[in-house]
Amino acid sequence: MNLKQTGPWIEHSGPDADVVVSSRARLARNLTGLPFVNQASDTQRREILQLVRSLPFASERGEGLVWIDLQQSTSEDRRLLFERHLVSRQFIESVSPRAVAIADDEQLSVMVNEEDHLRMQVLLPGLELEEAWRRAVEFDRRLEKHADIAVHPRWGYLTACPTNVGTAIRFSVMLHLPGLRLTNELERLRRASNDLDLAVRGFYGEGSDSSGDFYQVSNQLTLGVSETDLLATFVGEVVPRIVAYERMARDILVERSATLLEDRVHRALGTLRSARLLGIEESMKHLSRVRLGIALGLLPDVPLGTVQRLFLEVQPAHLRRIRPDSIDDTALEPVGEDRMLDDERTRRRRAALVRHELGG
Amino acid sequence: MNTKCDKCDQPAEVHEIDVEAGRDVHLCREHAVEAGFQVPQSAPVTELLTQFATMPPPGEKPTPRRAERPTACEHCGATFARFRKTGLLGCPDCYESFARQLEAVIARSQNGANAHVGRVPDRSSDLVDLQALRRSLIEELDRAVASEQYERAADLRDRLNTLTADEARG
Ligand SMILES: [Zn+2]
Ligand SMILES: [Zn+2]
């Protein structure tokens, strides 16, 4: 599989990068005349793959899309796609005919035969939801020119699960919220989000859900609100408010317990720079503190991009792809899809990688 | 509490604090809309009745009357019982086959919304939208150049070119 070592944009940081890691717009679309994926036979599912693959939409920005057949890829490659946020967990765990098409810059990808025939996403660094939406629509228009998409005069875009019907869009932002967690404000954020029909999830690859203090906020409603209204609420109100809330929590931490905070940040960096064995959970925890330290200006010599990349590279499939010679020469066991090996050799390699990258 | 509208005799529905004037404002629906306040839409009575009708009375087990309803979608064979179990419909036509049951299901999961608002595939509107897209791309390009984001500018220029090629092809 010709995926690069890490995503080409992972080290870029977009607007409001101190809090907002990435922005995503995801659209669900289904073709007419065929059953939804859950009711389709394997033959029909292959037919859907053929049909989608033959569409000339691959000309997005003049570049081709890389087509990856999940049935023909290794479990490690599938896991890599998942860690890279290009496919869902459900998608790598399924066994039926399915594929993902990925743009060269990895910012646009299309899952074929997930819950819906097509699920396309645009994923950009920082707070760039408007741009993500515009690129998604641009792509959607290409799709609609060449394929008949299932729409209903009353219900809008039809989806396998009626909770996605209507615009069939999910906007989401991935946020780094260590300040709110350390000040015990997360529960309040959750409740407030719930009132606004938003979902908040702990989010990042492996490990306990929020071990890196990453949270994904997304819309719950897809019916009765236009994409532009939803976007305006997200970009104009919801995200700026959460960002301001997180920054306020960080200010309070600095104000009330500067030394304690500095101690935690520097201890985290110290551990990452000197540990000989690193588990996934503790890597995420310490990387999160270092990320916070960078945002607060406490660690001027540690680049945010490097830390951002490490969040990805310490994940099991990525760790196994690291140029082994530059880190160590131990061969690692193949990685399972839903099970994560975190044996001593894995932890040793992770520690070696992190030391190497952070100049330990 | 039956506060009257500041501007007429209708009962006030919107109660806000006018920060600049430092006093309370009470307005009826019409005058609130006129003054630019967001007025929450109350659900139409008929819609509420539909929801009420499909909800089992509290404390009673829902009595299935499946015999009266289509048991399977004639296009894909999926049943509504299967939907209840998996949460997934079998095909686009299921939305017609189970229209009555789905109405309540959708309203519940979508905060009472009962119709789509937003984009639809409409080839005839493509040209108009492309022009709007072009305008916003040009504006963004100007901003990128002004702020010396040359990589981004080059990227935007590429997309403008692609767009032009598209329009030429029709
Ligand atoms: Zn009035
Ligand atoms: Zn059906």
Side-chain angles (χ1 to χ4, degrees):
Chain A
M1 192 170 65
N2 53 358
L3 273 190
K4 295 179 187 77
Q5 186 61 47
T6 50
W9 58 268
I10 191 73
E11 288 191 55
H12 300 183
S13 41
D16 295 315
D18 59 327
V19 180
V20 187
V21 180
S22 59
S23 304
R24 183 172 75 162
R26 196 195 69 195
L27 296 172
R29 297 289 183 258
N30 287 282
L31 305 163
T32 55
L34 282 157
F36 291 138
V37 179
N38 70 88
Q39 182 77 351
S41 66
D42 271 7
T43 312
Q44 284 170 317
R45 288 176 188 179
R46 273 191 286 273
E47 195 183 316
I48 295 162
L49 286 186
Q50 291 275 319
L51 212 152
V52 174
R53 196 175 186 176
S54 71
L55 295 174
F57 61 33
S59 59
E60 153 87 355
R61 309 171 82 198
E63 299 156 358
L65 296 181
V66 178
W67 181 269
I68 298 169
D69 188 324
L70 276 271
Q71 276 189 322
Q72 283 166 28
S73 59
T74 65
S75 67
E76 193 166 315
D77 280 348
R78 288 197 288 271
R79 205 184 145 104
L80 196 76
L81 292 168
F82 166 68
E83 289 176 4
R84 199 73 69 82
H85 306 306
L86 292 168
V87 301
S88 61
R89 181 180 282 277
Q90 182 187 344
F91 199 59
I92 61 169
E93 284 169 0
S94 149
V95 288
S96 70
R98 66 214 188 283
V100 60
I102 304 170
D104 199 42
D105 60 7
E106 288 186 25
Q107 292 183 337
L108 183 142
S109 60
V110 187
M111 286 187 279
V112 189
N113 285 347
E114 208 239 28
E115 189 177 287
D116 295 296
H117 293 160
L118 293 112
R119 280 197 169 180
M120 40 213 189
Q121 71 164 30
V122 176
L123 182 62
L124 300 177
L127 182 52
E128 282 197 275
L129 273 177
E130 282 149 323
E131 173 67 8
W133 162 238
R134 206 166 49 201
R135 284 191 60 187
V137 170
E138 215 177 295
F139 189 81
D140 197 28
R141 290 225 165 84
R142 282 177 197 285
L143 174 69
E144 285 166 356
K145 268 186 196 154
H146 304 288
D148 283 326
I149 301 301
V151 253
H152 188 280
R154 177 172 175 192
W155 301 125
Y157 289 99
L158 297 180
T159 49
C161 179
T163 58
N164 298 322
V165 83
T167 55
I169 190 162
R170 293 262 178 253
F171 287 115
S172 62
V173 282
M174 208 218 285
L175 305 170
H176 188 227
L177 304 176
L180 291 178
R181 196 182 51 75
L182 288 168
T183 51
N184 289 319
E185 292 287 316
L186 276 175
E187 202 36 53
R188 202 181 297 184
L189 172 70
R190 265 183 221 280
R191 277 202 303 270
S193 301
N194 212 19
D195 290 344
L196 293 165
D197 293 308
L198 302 168
V200 180
R201 288 184 199 92
F203 190 72
Y204 212 98
E206 204 57 57
S208 78
D209 270 354
S210 51
S211 51
D213 296 325
F214 291 105
Y215 296 87
Q216 185 180 274
V217 177
S218 58
N219 62 297
Q220 300 268 59
L221 301 182
T222 53
L223 192 72
V225 190
S226 74
E227 298 92 338
T228 40
D229 284 353
L230 192 60
L231 191 59
T233 314
F234 242 83
V235 176
E237 294 171 35
V238 173
V239 183
R241 241 185 262 177
I242 302 176
V243 169
Y245 194 17
E246 166 66 20
R247 285 180 185 151
M248 198 177 71
R250 292 178 186 183
D251 285 347
I252 288 171
L253 285 171
V254 171
E255 211 173 281
R256 294 196 191 149
S257 32
T259 315
L260 186 67
L261 189 66
E262 273 185 58
D263 179 69
R264 284 198 179 179
V265 166
H266 285 280
R267 267 173 197 272
L269 184 61
T271 305
L272 294 173
R273 276 182 171 164
S274 54
R276 263 41 187 179
L277 293 172
L278 267 181
I280 181 73
E281 292 269 349
E282 63 170 328
S283 308
M284 298 293 281
K285 190 176 89 185
H286 294 318
L287 283 170
S288 171
R289 286 181 182 174
V290 168
R291 196 186 197 281
L292 174 64
I294 295 169
L296 293 173
L298 297 173
L299 304 172
D301 58 334
V302 184
L304 178 61
T306 304
V307 173
Q308 209 46 51
R309 182 159 47 77
L310 280 174
F311 274 113
L312 190 60
E313 287 185 341
V314 298
Q315 304 291 322
H318 277 83
L319 194 59
R320 277 159 183 77
R321 278 219 148 189
I322 301 293
R323 333 152 281 272
D325 46 319
S326 68
I327 303 301
D328 67 13
D329 52 5
T330 30
L332 295 178
E333 301 294 326
V335 61
E337 268 170 31
D338 40 2
R339 188 172 55 96
M340 188 196 50
L341 258 179
D342 215 19
D343 59 2
E344 190 178 311
R345 276 191 304 188
T346 305
R347 284 182 285 137
R348 191 166 84 206
R349 172 178 291 202
R350 188 179 288 117
L353 165 76
V354 172
R355 277 205 313 280
H356 180 262
E357 294 297 317
L358 292 177
Chain B
M1 190 178 84
N2 248 334
T3 319
K4 276 186 185 166
C5 171
D6 294 346
K7 298 189 173 177
C8 70
D9 281 331
Q10 296 289 318
E13 285 192 55
V14 170
H15 312 274
E16 287 280 348
I17 297 167
D18 186 338
V19 181
E20 278 176 34
R23 61 183 176 83
D24 292 350
V25 178
H26 309 280
L27 295 169
C28 70
R29 176 169 289 260
E30 270 168 57
H31 280 110
V33 171
E34 197 183 286
F37 287 107
Q38 294 271 334
V39 182
Q41 294 284 326
S42 56
V45 179
T46 45
E47 185 197 318
L48 286 175
L49 281 177
T50 322
Q51 284 184 53
F52 184 66
T54 47
M55 241 185 281
E60 259 180 53
K61 279 185 195 161
T63 33
R65 281 172 296 159
R66 291 218 183 88
E68 300 169 20
R69 294 175 180 172
T71 48
C73 168
E74 60 178 88
H75 291 91
C76 72
T79 62
F80 197 70
R82 179 176 174 277
F83 166 72
R84 281 195 189 285
K85 220 164 73 188
T86 63
L88 298 173
L89 295 163
C91 79
D93 292 303
C94 285
Y95 280 91
E96 287 302 327
S97 306
F98 309 118
R100 225 156 48 103
Q101 297 100 309
L102 281 176
E103 185 148 341
V105 170
I106 293 174
R108 255 200 309 277
S109 71
Q110 299 279 355
N111 222 357
N114 65 358
H116 171 55
V117 183
R119 251 177 71 68
V120 284
D122 181 358
R123 284 158 209 211
S124 62
S125 72
D126 259 11
L127 205 58
V128 181
D129 293 344
L130 277 178
Q131 279 161 358
L133 180 62
R134 163 186 298 283
R135 271 198 304 278
S136 71
L137 279 174
I138 291 171
E139 273 170 33
E140 201 160 324
L141 177 60
D142 287 343
R143 277 203 301 274
V145 172
S147 58
E148 302 188 348
Q149 295 178 289
Y150 295 118
E151 245 184 58
R152 184 162 170 74
D155 202 48
L156 289 163
R157 219 170 271 125
D158 284 349
R159 288 174 48 208
L160 266 169
N161 290 339
T162 317
L163 202 63
T164 313
D166 273 7
E167 281 174 316
R169 274 200 301 273

